[in-house]
Amino acid sequence: MPIELHCHGDLGMAVANSIAGAKGAIDGGQDSYINTTVNGIGERAGNADLVAILLHYLNRRILPNTISSAIKSIFQKPG
């Protein structure tokens, strides 16, 4: 059964807690997924920011190639 992570940024730790929670679940042999929002906007102080989560994994070359290519195309300048 996958572990769902839904961290809020009340203390500015939503991204860090989400990444740590996902790593803990995976290290324990469970799949996990992280609830995110665009620009970290959500109720209270917001949830983990989608772009920050993706950049963390992209920077560490953890994402599968298909996801990495899609993310890189988002950040490329048109032209």
Side-chain angles (χ1 to χ4, degrees):
M1 174 183 290
I3 305 293
E4 177 182 3
L5 298 150
H6 182 91
C7 300
H8 285 268
D10 295 42
L11 301 174
M13 298 294 293
V15 172
N17 286 338
S18 296
I19 291 167
K23 183 178 183 328
I26 291 168
D27 287 349
Q30 295 294 314
D31 290 334
S32 66
Y33 60 96
I34 300 171
N35 294 149
T36 61
T37 60
V38 176
N39 296 326
I41 298 170
E43 64 178 277
R44 294 191 351 230
N47 299 99
D49 178 27
L50 173 64
V51 173
I53 297 284
L54 291 174
L55 288 175
H56 166 80
Y57 289 115
L58 181 64
N59 186 45
R60 284 154 185 78
R61 293 177 175 78
I62 296 173
L63 293 172
N65 288 334
T66 53
I67 296 173
S68 296
S69 298
I71 294 169
K72 287 178 183 176
S73 69
I74 292 170
F75 294 104
Q76 288 177 345
K77 291 183 178 180

